[in-house]
Amino acid sequence: MPAEVFKEQGNVFYSQKAYSDAFNCYTKAIDAWPKNASYYGNRAATLMMLSRFREALEDSQQAVRLDDFFMKGHLREGKCHLSLGNAKAASRCFKKVLELEPSNREAKQENKTAENLMELEKMANFGFEKRDFRKVVFCMDRALAVASACHRFKIFKAECLALLGRYPEAQSVASDILRLDSTNADALYVRGLCLYYEDCIDKAVQFFIQALRMAPDHEKARLACRNAKALKAKKDEGNQAFKKFNFEAAYQLYTEALAIDPNNIKTNAKLYCNRATAGAKLNKVNQTIEDCTNAIKLDDTYIKAYLRRAQSYMDTEQYEEAVRDYEKVYQTEKTSEHKHLLKTAQLELKKSKRKDYYKVLGVAKNATEDEIKKAYRKRALMHHPDRHSSATAEVQKEEEKKFKEVGEAFTVLSDPKKKIRYDNGHDLDDDGGFSGRGNSVFFNSGPGNFFFQFG
């Protein structure tokens, strides 16, 4: 059958959008007459409709090699270059058409598209240098609307999605490319990068190594692989030191690990929390709070960091802050343990807003009955009005106030029932309180006897 017949059959199938059948017919036409440029041009158009742009590019290039004045061939070659993200090559093709036919409107429009694509790529590269990864994603989305088959643009976008913490989106792009080309080193690198940033370091290293097998000069994969191995090793060293109760060494190792890769948000959040735990063992309370805060900035869902910080707030009597953290924890995980921690913090906050009778007497909260009595005698003597009778009226008033507070504190802390209620955060005024009216205390303090009447 003559080549023209196959071509005509192909044209019919093409008009019916039966592109696979059209492809077969054009292939037969080419086999029958391999020196005909228009046959390659027709098959290229068909391959473009099938989104097989690399094959379409080869046919277009063959068509113009056979006939350099074949304008459709040059146009199709340019469009294939555009779809594959080769804007400069596309522009050369469209300019060639304009040399042949200066008024060709399609070539003029497509050339503008190529120039816009070059500008988008330039903006994206600049954005990447400035670590403006959102800008890169924006530019690549616009670029891919033109260059839909460009793996390079897709990978660039996926890498920035990973750097923005949008791992599922980045993995989806990389996986799509790997389904088409399992040896694509860039896609393997991005897949590993996502795993690395999700703290799956062992799996990430496997992908980086695979990428380097495909492309031994892949510098990003090499650097990421080195960082991943170093980060895991340093973190493991810190964990081992902590388990051996060598908290100073653990603290230092976690510090060194944090310096390896500032971009690894999830792992660094854990490292900050680990260092906070070691810091708490070393009584570095303020540093512990700061480390937990840094961990939460990196991962605001990190319950362990909230719990560690809340405990440090409790230890430093920053009860309002502790309540806020425990509320966050309880809202996220409504367990009985978290409820108990929140209730305890709320109670301590309530207690902190009352007079601290232990501080008034200058004793610890676990002071014995005898220690409370001794402290009372000492403070009562210190603030007794008789000792300040020659002072100014202002001083006398202040000392009298302190003297009464000492009496109030002793009245509560020396009474087992009232002390228990006070320690449990109950309002003592609810059952008559400790007005002190009618209460008096007499003790022998040494040289003279003192009688204190509270009123």
Side-chain angles (χ1 to χ4, degrees):
M1 186 179 291
E4 277 295 307
V5 175
F6 287 124
K7 186 200 81 167
E8 290 301 327
Q9 288 180 343
N11 290 348
V12 172
F13 283 126
Y14 187 93
S15 66
Q16 295 173 347
K17 299 184 180 180
Y19 299 119
S20 294
D21 292 327
F23 171 81
N24 292 332
C25 289
Y26 291 138
T27 300
K28 289 176 182 177
I30 289 169
D31 290 341
W33 189 0
K35 298 294 183 179
N36 189 302
S38 66
Y39 294 172
Y40 285 100
N42 287 359
R43 190 169 71 173
T46 305
L47 287 166
M48 289 169 70
M49 299 307 294
L50 292 168
S51 297
R52 292 160 61 178
F53 294 102
R54 294 187 187 282
E55 296 169 77
L57 177 62
E58 291 175 8
D59 273 1
S60 299
Q61 289 172 331
Q62 179 60 16
V64 297
R65 274 196 292 268
L66 291 170
D67 182 359
D68 193 43
F69 294 94
F70 185 27
M71 282 191 299
K72 284 187 177 180
H74 288 297
L75 272 171
R76 284 168 187 158
E77 181 186 355
K79 289 180 179 180
C80 288
H81 279 308
L82 269 184
S83 294
L84 293 166
N86 303 319
K88 286 184 180 179
S91 184
R92 284 196 297 270
C93 294
F94 301 133
K95 286 176 180 176
K96 177 66 175 178
V97 174
L98 292 171
E99 287 175 14
L100 297 171
E101 187 182 304
S103 62
N104 190 298
R105 294 175 63 184
E106 186 177 6
K108 287 180 181 179
Q109 185 57 49
E110 293 292 358
N111 193 47
K112 284 183 181 179
T113 302
E115 289 173 351
N116 289 337
L117 188 61
M118 283 187 272
E119 185 60 27
L120 284 170
E121 189 171 4
K122 182 179 176 182
M123 288 168 59
N125 288 330
F126 183 75
F128 191 84
E129 288 175 11
K130 297 295 183 183
R131 301 186 63 78
D132 187 352
F133 303 126
R134 286 183 177 82
K135 180 72 170 287
V136 178
V137 172
F138 172 77
C139 290
M140 287 299 98
D141 278 338
R142 292 182 64 186
L144 285 164
V146 175
S148 59
C150 182
H151 287 181
R152 183 166 50 86
F153 289 170
K154 290 177 181 179
I155 288 294
F156 198 11
K157 174 186 173 179
E159 182 180 3
C160 290
L161 287 171
L163 292 167
L164 288 168
R166 293 161 63 178
Y167 308 122
E169 295 171 74
Q171 287 191 42
S172 176
V173 174
S175 296
D176 285 346
I177 292 172
L178 288 171
R179 272 193 288 274
L180 297 171
D181 178 9
S182 62
T183 65
N184 189 300
D186 291 327
L188 289 166
Y189 159 70
V190 170
R191 188 77 178 84
L193 196 65
C194 292
L195 290 165
Y196 171 57
Y197 285 150
E198 289 184 295
D199 200 37
C200 300
I201 295 179
D202 287 335
K203 287 183 180 178
V205 168
Q206 292 175 12
F207 274 94
F208 294 143
I209 291 173
Q210 197 174 347
L212 288 167
R213 284 201 195 103
M214 298 300 112
D217 295 330
H218 201 296
E219 194 54 38
K220 286 184 177 179
R222 187 182 307 284
L223 177 61
C225 191
R226 185 165 68 240
N227 282 346
K229 288 179 177 179
L231 194 56
K232 185 178 188 302
K234 196 66 72 174
K235 181 183 174 186
D236 288 347
E237 280 185 69
N239 292 345
Q240 289 301 316
F242 189 91
K243 287 176 183 177
K244 293 176 182 177
F245 305 101
N246 191 347
F247 303 124
E248 282 284 4
Y251 190 92
Q252 181 57 35
L253 286 163
Y254 292 139
T255 301
E256 292 172 13
L258 281 164
I260 291 172
D261 186 359
N263 290 323
N264 196 320
I265 292 171
K266 233 171 190 179
T267 301
N268 287 345
K270 291 182 179 180
L271 286 168
Y272 272 120
C273 195
N274 286 1
R275 191 171 75 171
T277 305
K281 296 290 186 182
L282 297 167
N283 294 318
K284 297 182 178 183
V285 183
N286 292 333
Q287 184 62 51
T288 295
I289 292 172
E290 185 179 334
D291 279 347
C292 289
T293 300
N294 285 330
I296 290 165
K297 283 179 182 176
L298 295 176
D299 181 2
D300 63 2
T301 66
Y302 196 2
I303 295 300
K304 189 176 178 182
Y306 282 106
L307 288 170
R308 166 58 58 197
R309 186 171 71 174
Q311 183 57 58
S312 296
Y313 281 141
M314 291 291 286
D315 293 342
T316 52
E317 300 183 3
Q318 299 179 65
Y319 300 120
E320 288 187 9
E321 291 83 353
V323 167
R324 278 201 297 270
D325 278 355
Y326 283 134
E327 283 176 341
K328 173 73 174 178
V329 170
Y330 186 62
Q331 287 168 5
T332 306
E333 294 182 0
K334 288 182 166 55
T335 67
S336 57
E337 179 186 359
H338 294 160
K339 184 177 182 179
H340 173 71
L341 289 169
L342 175 58
K343 291 289 185 185
T344 301
Q346 289 171 332
L347 176 61
E348 290 301 322
L349 175 60
K350 180 181 177 183
K351 286 160 66 175
S352 71
K353 294 182 181 298
R354 312 170 307 172
K355 288 180 184 176
D356 188 336
Y357 289 137
Y358 291 101
K359 282 187 178 179
V360 170
L361 294 183
V363 296
K365 292 184 178 180
N366 60 352
T368 64
E369 185 178 346
D370 189 51
E371 288 171 337
I372 289 171
K373 285 180 180 179
K374 286 180 180 179
Y376 166 68
R377 290 189 182 102
K378 180 180 177 181
R379 292 297 172 102
L381 283 170
M382 185 187 302
H383 299 297
H384 193 279
D386 289 351
R387 294 183 64 126
H388 304 280
S389 57
S390 59
T392 64
E394 187 179 346
V395 171
Q396 287 184 20
K397 187 176 180 180
E398 183 63 26
E399 292 297 329
E400 184 179 353
K401 178 184 174 184
K402 290 180 179 178
F403 181 68
K404 286 184 178 181
E405 285 181 346
V406 168
E408 289 175 5
F410 183 69
T411 299
V412 172
L413 299 183
S414 63
D415 184 319
K417 289 183 179 179
K418 288 182 178 179
K419 184 176 183 297
I420 289 172
R421 286 181 60 77
Y422 176 79
D423 287 344
N424 288 335
H426 295 299
D427 293 324
L428 299 178
D429 285 336
D430 291 347
D431 58 355
F434 51 84
S435 65
R437 283 188 283 273
N439 290 343
S440 61
V441 179
F442 176 84
F443 63 87
N444 189 320
S445 63
N449 293 333
F450 286 80
F451 177 82
F452 299 131
Q453 180 73 41
F454 304 119

